[in-house]
Amino acid sequence: MKKVICALGLAIASVGSALATNYPLTIENCGYKETFTKAPERVVALGQNTVEILLLLGLEDKVKASAFWPTKVLPQLAEQNAKIKTLTVEIPTLESVLAQNPDFVPAQSPLLLGPESKVAKRDDLKTLGVNSYVSPGMCATKKATGDMYGSRQKLWDMTYLYQEIEDFAKIFNVEDRGQAVIADFKKREADLRKEFGKNKKDLSFVFWFSSSSPSADAYVGGKNSPSGFIASLMGGHNAITSETEWPTVGWESIIAANPDVIVVSSLDRNRWALDNAEEKIKFLKSDPAVSQLDAVKKGHIVVMDGQAMNPTIRTIYGAEQVGEQLRKLGLN
């Protein structure tokens, strides 16, 4: 038995050394080459997804501050996240970021770190000797002037997310942890496809993120966005045909699309009243026209974490939320 344990220990040690990062490490990310001479020590993570990936990799001691939180942190990461300073749940200022003396600033989207960002531009950080990173899934969008989120010509999938996890794991020399996280997500995705991929109903979905008021157009997940990915996992499709990542759609158009299921987001931010899922459901059931939608009359309204509509690790969690409710509705 001792020989077996020793042999297993040697095997693990061998794998661990094979996965060790060799510095200097150069990462190509969204058109930039970033060279790391060592693992970062003072990280300011911009965006909930960025923080949660780093926490899943066990890197909470490296993250000194964070910003931009549409929803609360994953419950299983709450204790780790409590150790990290939150600059703001909205968009931070450059001054507040630099005040943390960061050596690495990764971001969830170009809104937080990009050519048109009001926070910072990557070239500015490079001038200061600070490495940066932007989620690969956001770089895959085609952007027009003034459009921070752009449009997608092909459906988003988890490949972008796996690339992001792999990159962070290399940068911080924790590749074994990265592989474990990726393996977990791949299994969960496969399980959903196995159960819902055989769905012959080809359900159509509308994913409603929020609206500034009941009279305003709805911000919804576009055709090829993570919302579209979730719809495909559920064996269906997105009723929204716009390739824009975040189109604003009038309720007349949604009524015309007549989706089988309406997914309403739950947001913890307090920007608008309709960030709240209960307020969305109240509107759906009380508006004279919208309440006549088949999905509303049949009670085919499901609630999902709003962050899941962004290209993030929460997307797979959101798909699981939707799947659980579809089962209860007999739509699996």
Side-chain angles (χ1 to χ4, degrees):
M1 179 62 74
K2 288 183 178 180
K3 289 183 178 180
V4 172
I5 293 173
C6 289
L8 181 59
L10 288 171
I12 292 172
S14 175
V15 171
S17 62
L19 294 177
T21 299
N22 293 315
Y23 299 99
L25 169 72
T26 298
I27 293 284
E28 291 192 21
N29 168 246
C30 296
Y32 278 76
K33 288 186 177 181
E34 300 282 345
T35 299
F36 298 82
T37 57
K38 62 177 182 177
E41 295 288 338
R42 296 191 60 82
V43 182
V44 176
L46 305 182
Q48 180 171 352
N49 182 61
T50 305
V51 184
E52 290 184 333
I53 290 176
L54 295 174
L55 294 182
L56 284 174
L57 294 174
L59 298 168
E60 60 272 15
D61 292 340
K62 307 289 187 180
V63 185
K64 304 306 175 184
S66 71
F68 200 71
W69 288 84
T71 60
K72 290 184 175 67
V73 69
L74 282 168
Q76 60 266 42
L77 300 177
E79 186 176 343
Q80 295 164 267
N81 190 58
K83 304 174 184 177
I84 299 169
K85 180 179 182 180
T86 300
L87 301 178
T88 173
V89 296
E90 294 285 354
I91 299 172
T93 63
L94 176 59
E95 291 75 17
S96 67
V97 172
L98 296 181
Q100 310 306 313
N101 191 28
D103 57 3
F104 183 39
V105 180
Q108 176 176 320
S109 91
L111 172 70
L112 301 162
L113 188 63
E116 299 176 54
S117 172
K118 294 180 181 179
V119 181
K121 297 172 177 59
R122 296 186 72 170
D123 287 338
D124 296 336
L125 291 176
K126 187 177 286 289
T127 299
L128 296 172
V130 178
N131 287 113
S132 61
Y133 187 95
V134 175
S135 177
M138 289 305 300
C139 300
T141 59
K142 181 179 180 181
K143 297 176 181 64
T145 302
D147 182 1
M148 196 66 69
Y149 297 102
S151 58
R152 292 185 192 274
Q153 283 66 56
K154 61 177 288 189
L155 186 64
W156 179 89
D157 62 39
M158 298 284 285
T159 304
Y160 299 109
L161 186 62
Y162 299 149
Q163 180 64 58
E164 188 168 4
I165 296 169
E166 284 181 1
D167 286 345
F168 283 153
K170 287 179 182 177
I171 290 168
F172 289 93
N173 192 22
V174 289
E175 289 190 68
D176 53 340
R177 299 181 199 171
Q179 289 188 1
V181 172
I182 291 170
D184 174 59
F185 283 137
K186 284 185 174 180
K187 182 183 184 305
R188 289 160 67 180
E189 180 182 352
D191 288 345
L192 286 171
R193 288 195 184 280
K194 183 177 180 180
E195 178 180 359
F196 291 95
K198 300 174 183 178
N199 195 332
K200 304 301 182 185
K201 297 182 177 69
D202 188 23
L203 298 172
S204 61
F205 294 80
V206 164
F207 292 77
W208 181 18
F209 186 76
S210 194
S211 299
S212 58
S213 71
S215 61
D217 290 347
Y219 282 94
V220 297
K223 173 184 177 182
N224 294 322
S225 70
S227 296
F229 170 77
I230 293 174
S232 73
L233 271 186
M234 298 296 104
H237 64 279
N238 196 337
I240 302 301
T241 58
S242 172
E243 291 184 344
T244 301
E245 185 83 339
W246 289 107
T248 52
V249 179
W251 284 102
E252 297 84 359
S253 297
I254 294 174
I255 290 170
N258 195 27
D260 296 308
V261 180
I262 298 176
V263 180
V264 301
S265 78
S266 172
L267 296 166
D268 293 315
R269 69 180 195 184
N270 293 309
R271 189 179 301 171
W272 300 322
L274 285 168
D275 285 347
N276 183 278
E278 288 72 23
E279 289 297 318
K280 291 186 182 75
I281 294 171
K282 185 189 300 183
F283 168 79
L284 291 173
K285 292 183 176 181
S286 63
D287 183 85
V290 178
S291 61
Q292 298 308 302
L293 278 166
D294 288 341
V296 179
K297 290 193 290 186
K298 293 178 180 178
H300 293 174
I301 302 170
V302 303
V303 179
M304 184 181 77
D305 173 31
Q307 175 71 339
M309 292 177 67
N310 288 313
T312 65
I313 61 166
R314 297 299 278 271
T315 301
I316 199 71
Y317 291 86
E320 290 168 339
Q321 281 182 301
V322 173
E324 181 179 357
Q325 293 167 81
L326 291 183
R327 289 186 201 102
K328 292 179 181 177
L329 292 169
L331 295 175
N332 59 330

